[in-house]
């Protein structure tokens, strides 16, 4: 196998603009072949989101159509061995945090085996985002295998409304999953809430009270144009600023200085010390300028942004004798090709061809 050589890539203006994106001009036109995973705007990437399946047992209105999607055949999914190999290469490139996601990661059988394989690689953080429906029975097994913490999605504290938004599933089961996660030590426990105007935005204070009462970190997420049905409308999202104002009017909030400047959530604690919330304002206050994330789809596509169609498969390389050096180069090229910003707020923005559950949120 020949040694990789530096490639020159033309720096073209981002067609969707750089609003909210990496500030300033591209730093260099030569992709580095060693050192951290860096893009041409100087953003160092150390967070890898790994989707283990595009399948899901729920059909959330903001994500998947009621009838489901055309799911990937089993043979197209990366095997656990392939995922661990890619994660090992990524570790060598400076990835320090891994999050498992999907689809619903826990519909993939034997996930604890994958967690064990990843844990051996020694990441600083190994987490999972789940809808919580299948978590309770396996929480302690996952923790024993090396999972550190979980984010559990839960969009309503009202059982009927929960069922209406997620279309399937049961709030009680998800609340039990939160208890099980805490009992297993999968903490700090974060609860993801996608707010939809007119559907659950009247629960903002209920969720704030829940955060205060339970100590769970509730993160309010703006609805993003990543639903498979393409029905997203700006009017449906609830801006993070509004969430802040409504909560702070009742319980004053204090901003936390970020431990990681790249964390998507703006974090706030209640001034009286009773808990924490986060605001993920991806649309109204994009954080692209500090984005350090890279995604691996369930079928082995490397994606440098949720909103970009730039996806480079590494699966075929793995299955046809590719070396680790070649795989590493795919990682570097994917990161290097990253646009400065997602461009949602630019004229002519188009949602990516693959929606949230197919990419891995
Ligand atoms: N199935 C798991 C779950 O729901 O937690 C993990 C995958 S899901 C795609 C990851 C996160 O993305 C969840 O918190 C979900 O609520 C969120 N999500 C899905 N579609 C979204 C959208 N269109 N806008 C904002 N967040 C979305
Ligand atoms: Fe499934 Fe998660 Fe999408 Fe809901 S948000 S349909 S639980 S993948």
């Amino acid at each position: 196998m020949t040694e990789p050589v530096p490639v020159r890539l033309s720096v073209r203006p981002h067609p969707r603009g750089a609003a909210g994106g990496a500030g300033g001009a591209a730093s260099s036109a030569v992709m580095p072949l060693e050192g951290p995973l860096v893009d041409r705007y100087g953003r160092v990437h150390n967070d890898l989101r790994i989707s283990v399946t595009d399948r899901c047992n729920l059909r959330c209105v903001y994500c998947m159509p009621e009838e489901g999607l055309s799911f990937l055949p089993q043979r197209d999914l990366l095997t656990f061995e392939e995922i661990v190999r890619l994660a090992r290469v990524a570790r060598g490139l400076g990835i320090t945090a891994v999050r498992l996601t999907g689809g619903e990661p826990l519909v993939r059988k034997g996930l604890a085996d994958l967690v064990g394989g990843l844990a051996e690689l020694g990441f600083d953080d190994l987490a999972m985002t789940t809808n919580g429906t299948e978590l309770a029975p396996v929480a302690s097994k996952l923790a024993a295998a090396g999972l550190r913490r979980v984010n559990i999605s839960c969009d309503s504290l009202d059982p009927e409304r929960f069922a209406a938004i997620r279309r399937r599933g049961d709030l009680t089961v998800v609340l039990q999953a939160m208890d099980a996660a805490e009992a297993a030590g999968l903490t700090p426990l974060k609860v993801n809430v996608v707010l939809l105007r007119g559907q659950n935005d009247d629960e903002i204070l209920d969720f704030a009270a829940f955060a205060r009462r339970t100590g769970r970190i509730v993160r309010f997420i703006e609805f993003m144009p990543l639903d498979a049905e393409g029905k997203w409308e700006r009017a449906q999202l609830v801006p993070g600023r509004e969430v802040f104002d409504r909560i702070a009017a009742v319980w004053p909030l204090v901003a936390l200085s970020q431990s990681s400047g790249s964390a998507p959530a703006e974090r706030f604690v209640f001034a009286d010390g009773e808990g924490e919330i986060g605001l993920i304002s991806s649309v109204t206050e994009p954080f692209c300028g500090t984005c350090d994330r890279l995604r691996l789809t369930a079928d082995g596509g490397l994606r440098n942004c949720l909103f970009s169609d730039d996806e480079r498969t590494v699966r075929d390389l793995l299955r046809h004798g590719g070396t680790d050096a070649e795989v590493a180069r795919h990682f570097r090229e994917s990161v290097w090709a990253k646009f400065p910003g997602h461009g949602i707020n630019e004229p002519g923005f188009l949602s990516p061809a693959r929606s949230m559950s197919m990419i891995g949120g």
Side-chain angles (χ1 to χ4, degrees):
M1 205 55 53
T2 53
E3 273 300 294
V5 291
V7 282
R8 283 190 180 272
L9 301 168
S10 64
V11 181
R12 62 190 166 110
H14 178 22
R16 291 179 286 158
S27 57
S28 159
V30 181
M31 185 181 81
L33 291 174
E34 52 189 33
L37 271 177
V38 66
D39 70 15
R40 66 186 75 192
Y41 302 93
R43 293 171 293 191
V44 173
H45 288 62
N46 43 39
D47 184 330
L48 179 64
R49 308 286 159 108
I50 300 177
S51 173
V52 297
T53 180
D54 61 334
R55 288 171 193 262
C56 187
N57 53 352
L58 301 188
R59 297 286 184 267
C60 304
V61 291
Y62 50 76
C63 182
M64 228 194 251
E66 186 142 29
E67 63 279 13
L69 292 165
S70 173
F71 297 118
L72 293 166
Q74 187 71 27
R75 65 176 179 280
D76 284 358
L77 298 183
L78 293 179
T79 64
F80 287 168
E81 291 72 23
E82 288 169 337
I83 293 174
V84 171
R85 178 173 169 204
L86 289 171
R88 182 178 295 112
V89 171
R91 181 85 186 88
L93 293 169
I95 293 290
T96 55
V98 164
R99 170 174 296 280
L100 298 177
T101 183
E104 171 48 38
L106 289 173
V107 303
R108 181 117 183 222
K109 287 196 173 48
L111 198 70
D113 295 337
L114 175 63
V115 168
L118 294 173
E120 280 179 17
L121 300 177
F123 293 102
D124 296 345
D125 192 19
L126 181 52
M128 178 174 67
T129 302
T130 172
N131 64 31
T133 55
E134 305 292 324
L135 178 62
V138 292
S140 47
K141 189 173 180 187
L142 290 169
L147 192 68
R148 299 270 183 89
R149 58 196 182 88
V150 288
N151 290 7
I152 298 180
S153 303
C154 178
D155 307 307
S156 177
L157 295 170
D158 172 81
E160 284 179 22
R161 194 180 277 175
F162 177 97
I165 295 176
R166 311 218 98 187
R167 290 205 187 102
R168 300 178 185 178
D170 180 344
L171 174 62
T172 311
V173 171
V174 174
L175 293 175
Q176 284 166 353
M178 293 183 198
D179 294 339
E182 285 172 335
L186 295 170
T187 54
L189 178 60
K190 296 181 183 171
V191 177
N192 287 356
V193 182
V194 177
L195 287 175
L196 300 171
R197 180 74 71 198
Q199 293 194 55
N200 60 353
D201 55 332
D202 59 346
E203 291 191 59
I204 291 171
L205 291 181
D206 294 340
F207 271 112
F210 177 84
R212 291 169 60 78
R213 190 171 69 244
T214 62
R216 295 165 186 164
I217 303 168
V218 174
R219 299 166 2 128
F220 297 96
I221 303 174
E222 289 181 355
F223 179 28
M224 294 182 268
L226 287 168
D227 56 313
E229 294 175 281
K231 290 183 176 166
W232 180 86
E233 283 176 20
R234 189 170 291 270
Q236 291 173 295
L237 77 81
V238 182
R241 174 54 48 187
E242 177 182 328
V243 178
F244 175 90
D245 289 343
R246 281 165 68 175
I247 296 176
V250 180
W251 295 293
L253 292 165
V254 179
L256 275 183
S257 59
Q258 299 280 23
S259 55
S260 153
S262 61
E266 276 183 285
R267 298 170 58 194
F268 300 91
V269 288
F270 292 94
D272 62 7
E274 297 285 329
E276 179 180 334
I277 62 150
L279 302 176
I280 303 185
S281 311
S282 317
V283 179
T284 62
E285 296 176 50
F287 36 84
C288 307
T290 55
C291 180
D292 67 349
R293 275 167 289 286
L294 181 65
R295 291 182 157 78
L296 177 64
T297 65
D299 55 346
L302 281 175
R303 288 182 74 108
N304 55 30
C305 174
L306 269 176
F307 296 94
S308 167
D309 279 321
D310 186 313
E311 187 174 310
R312 296 149 194 255
T313 181
V314 278
R315 187 192 61 206
D316 298 341
L317 185 59
L318 293 183
R319 292 185 181 175
H320 294 99
T323 64
D324 283 357
E326 288 172 308
V327 171
R329 188 182 173 100
H330 269 61
F331 273 94
R332 288 196 183 279
E333 287 176 351
S334 175
V335 170
W336 191 246
K338 188 161 175 156
F339 287 139
H342 58 43
I344 297 175
N345 301 307
E346 299 299 302
F349 168 78
L350 290 174
S351 293
R354 295 182 107 185
S355 57
M356 185 69 117
S357 63
M358 295 187 258
I359 301 168

